[in-house]
Amino acid sequence: MTEPARPTVGRQLRNRRLFLNLAQDDLAGRIGIRTKTVSNVENDRSRITLSRRGDWERELLLKPGTISRAYEADSPIEPLDDDPQASARLQKTHQIQELLKGLSLDEQEEILRNVDSGLSDPVPPAAPPSSPKQRDNGEQRAS
């Protein structure tokens, strides 16, 4: 009995793109190529050039060199991390990057500054009010 054939490199890349919930035009925009090129690669009508393989690997969250190994040795493409939780975090990262694209550079920098300051200087928890009088809308009543 023979083993079932491994999906082609193009089919594996398509499956990975779909797993990451990316449309062909989204992937093309991130890599800086035409949507038609993504389609041609996924349908095995063309191969990814050596100079672009790293871009594809980065955007599809694949291990470096995996596309070359897949083309040359018929090996499967390898995700950066097979852990489903890590994959979910990576998908969220891509979604955040997409959201940031719609903002101006100044807005993006402000968000990053806020994130950086939040990571380095955590806000201490608020102290609970010390008396029932202070808990009433945060005001003290005169006696």
Side-chain angles (χ1 to χ4, degrees), residues 112-125:
L112 291 174
R113 276 193 303 275
N114 289 335
V115 169
D116 286 344
S117 68
L119 293 175
S120 60
D121 297 323
V123 177

Side-chain angles (χ1 to χ4, degrees), residues 2-130:
T2 62
E3 275 186 40
R6 180 185 330 280
T8 64
V9 174
R11 179 61 58 174
Q12 291 179 71
L13 293 170
R14 177 182 184 275
N15 291 341
R16 182 66 178 170
R17 175 181 58 77
L18 293 173
F19 173 78
L20 295 172
N21 199 28
L22 290 173
Q24 283 184 339
D25 58 333
D26 292 334
L27 179 60
R30 290 176 179 197
I31 295 173
I33 58 176
R34 297 180 318 145
T35 303
K36 182 72 174 167
T37 303
V38 173
S39 176
N40 286 340
V41 167
E42 290 183 350
N43 289 295
D44 297 299
R45 289 189 293 264
S46 64
R47 293 178 123 201
I48 302 169
T49 61
L50 190 56
S51 64
R52 286 287 189 183
R53 290 178 188 175
D55 297 331
W56 281 73
E57 289 164 350
R58 182 185 67 250
E59 296 306 327
L60 291 176
L61 308 174
L62 300 172
K63 290 182 180 178
T66 193
I67 293 174
S68 292
R69 289 188 296 277
Y71 279 137
E72 295 161 11
D74 193 34
S75 61
I77 61 166
E78 300 172 85
L80 277 174
D81 196 332
D82 290 330
D83 174 18
Q85 288 181 336
S87 292
R89 285 191 306 273
L90 291 171
Q91 282 180 278
K92 283 289 181 198
T93 299
H94 270 281
Q95 290 171 342
I96 291 167
Q97 288 171 335
E98 281 301 308
L99 290 172
L100 288 174
K101 280 185 181 178
L103 303 175
S104 72
L105 288 177
D106 288 339
E107 292 168 322
Q108 290 178 23
E109 288 174 3
E110 182 180 344
I111 288 171
L112 291 174
R113 276 193 303 275
N114 289 335
V115 169
D116 286 344
S117 68
L119 293 175
S120 60
D121 297 323
V123 177
S130 58

